[in-house]
Amino acid sequence: MKAIIYHEFGDIDVLRYEDVPVPEINDDEVLIRVRSVSLNHLDHLQRRVPILPGFSLPHIPGMDVAGDVERVGGRVERVHPGDRVVINPSINCQRCVRCVKGQDNYCVSLKVLGGNIDGGFAEFVKAPATHVYRLPDHLSYDVAACMPTVYVTAWHALVDRARLRVGEDVLIHAAGSGVSMAAIQIAKLCGARVIATAGTEYKVERAKQLGADVAINYTRDDFLDVVRQVTNGKGVEVVLDHVGPATWEKSVLSLAARGRLVYCGTTTGTRASIDLPQTYHWGITFIGSDGFTLAEFEDVFALFVQGKFQPVIDTILPLERAAEAQRRMAERKIFGKVILHPDGSDRPL
Ligand SMILES: [Zn+2]
């Protein structure tokens, strides 16, 4: 089968479009013909350096996969050949002490499809049947491939970790990113007022179309000033920050008394400082947002089935143009998700 694979770390030119063996499945696994796979930041971050524990080369990226069941193992009853499916890429064992306690995001043998095992930048991918979900007819492959990583990550941050409530104000940075695109829709579903930031007028307009009540072009306006203005000096109850040092200090200052800063990414670096009195005088809570659980994946999938979310698909390209897709994403020229099709098409599936 054809796959995008890299044998060494480096720039985009280490990506190869090569023939590799079709994965072999065991009795509990499913072989899936990939119809649509979406890109995530981890794909190109990990092309340069290993990030997830247990990562090894060569590697096929691609965490978010929708496709057709090609073959099932002898003990699999959950899905059948021909079923349209989406994969939960956070693969836990469902047996260890942490899994049994509901902390399966800390499973002792956690694997991430396309993260530290081979993923879906390929014609076929395999996954345990326990992590394969049938798609209803009305949910397209492309929409399903947008869901797993960004929507469930944003859900975990805002709903589980930050406990966002009806009527609260939430500041969401980098509206054009996949996680923020999802977060805006989730925050609206929660009944919050959304203030989003973005770096171009085009992205500001897209953020508003997506449901942001206020969208700030941070290259033109100071987002802290705007937050204070639109909240009449109160500040926001919640900030979702996956940007890091570039926004951190003003994110803290944007918070209302007893505000919560939930964070789940570091696209501008890994070190930030805080002014201790500022944070304790205002009762600020810092909330690290870890990996999502299987139950959360199922909750978000159910909302997709109900049509609650409409992901924005920026670009669809044939799989063999994965390098071009990664470049567009790295240059931040996109709003929403970038999709690859192994069948070579660039039309919605
Ligand atoms: Zn486990």
Side-chain angles (χ1 to χ4, degrees):
M1 67 170 185
K2 290 291 187 189
I4 295 290
I5 188 167
Y6 55 102
H7 301 264
E8 58 187 322
F9 294 112
D11 290 329
I12 283 171
D13 57 9
V14 301
L15 295 178
R16 300 269 181 267
Y17 185 60
E18 285 182 358
D19 285 307
V20 300
V22 174
E24 291 184 10
I25 57 169
N26 66 29
D27 281 348
D28 299 310
E29 291 177 326
V30 177
L31 183 70
I32 292 156
R33 178 183 291 274
V34 179
R35 301 296 303 274
S36 180
V37 56
S38 76
L39 272 68
N40 288 286
H41 279 294
L42 182 67
D43 301 328
H44 63 86
L45 292 175
Q46 203 161 236
R47 197 193 61 242
R48 294 183 174 282
V49 287
I51 293 173
L52 297 187
F55 178 90
S56 64
L57 291 174
H59 179 67
I60 300 173
M63 301 156 76
D64 295 341
V65 178
D68 299 318
V69 173
E70 182 80 7
R71 207 160 50 235
V72 301
R75 285 195 290 265
V76 174
E77 297 177 350
R78 182 184 169 97
V79 291
H80 305 283
D83 284 350
R84 302 168 66 252
V85 294
V86 63
I87 304 172
N88 175 355
S90 181
I91 296 171
N92 51 50
C93 75
Q94 304 195 336
R95 285 188 297 272
C96 73
V97 171
R98 292 173 183 169
C99 280
V100 170
K101 282 183 173 176
Q103 297 173 340
D104 52 75
N105 46 345
Y106 289 102
C107 172
V108 296
S109 54
L110 187 69
K111 301 284 184 214
V112 178
L113 191 91
N116 52 14
I117 56 175
D118 282 341
F121 283 15
E123 288 181 277
F124 294 95
V125 67
K126 69 174 180 178
T130 48
H131 289 66
V132 176
Y133 293 77
R134 287 178 59 186
L135 294 175
D137 291 343
H138 66 273
L139 211 54
S140 73
Y141 295 110
D142 290 336
V143 166
C146 288
M147 184 197 85
T149 298
V150 297
Y151 276 87
V152 194
T153 296
W155 178 270
H156 181 67
L158 290 179
V159 177
D160 179 75
R161 301 295 292 141
R163 303 278 167 187
L164 185 64
R165 291 190 289 269
V166 172
E168 290 191 319
D169 290 326
V170 57
L171 174 64
I172 296 172
H173 287 299
S177 70
V179 168
S180 295
M181 175 267 292
I184 290 169
Q185 295 177 65
I186 290 166
K188 291 306 295 179
L189 191 66
C190 291
R193 179 168 67 154
V194 174
I195 303 171
T197 70
T200 67
E201 281 305 309
Y202 167 72
K203 290 181 181 180
V204 162
E205 285 309 311
R206 295 303 303 265
K208 286 180 184 167
Q209 289 166 9
L210 209 51
D213 299 279
V214 178
I216 305 164
N217 182 341
Y218 64 78
T219 64
R220 196 187 60 205
D221 298 318
D222 184 323
F223 74 80
L224 176 58
D225 288 345
V226 179
V227 165
R228 285 177 171 162
Q229 189 185 335
V230 300
T231 61
N232 296 319
K234 167 182 71 76
V236 295
E237 282 76 17
V238 173
V239 175
L240 172 62
D241 194 326
H242 54 87
V243 177
T247 48
W248 186 263
E249 188 180 355
K250 285 185 177 176
S251 287
V252 175
L253 293 172
S254 296
L255 287 165
R258 296 280 174 96
R260 292 102 73 198
L261 198 166
V262 61
Y263 50 103
C264 60
T266 51
T267 51
T268 60
T270 58
R271 295 274 170 178
S273 63
I274 56 170
D275 178 57
L276 293 174
Q278 164 70 27
T279 56
Y280 63 71
H281 282 311
W282 291 95
I284 301 304
T285 303
F286 294 94
I287 305 172
S289 192
D290 47 3
F292 58 81
T293 64
L294 188 96
E296 288 175 306
F297 180 92
E298 294 187 353
D299 287 345
V300 175
F301 181 57
L303 292 168
F304 259 80
V305 171
Q306 292 170 33
K308 299 288 190 195
F309 301 126
Q310 291 300 326
V312 178
I313 296 171
D314 181 274
T315 307
I316 300 173
L317 289 172
L319 176 65
E320 63 179 303
R321 290 168 66 185
E324 179 184 338
Q326 278 201 358
R327 187 174 295 112
R328 283 178 62 83
M329 197 165 168
E331 290 171 350
R332 302 184 192 287
K333 288 182 175 170
I334 56 165
F335 189 102
K337 295 292 280 179
V338 178
I339 296 271
L340 297 171
H341 286 166
D343 72 359
S345 69
D346 58 6
R347 298 273 174 244
L349 286 175

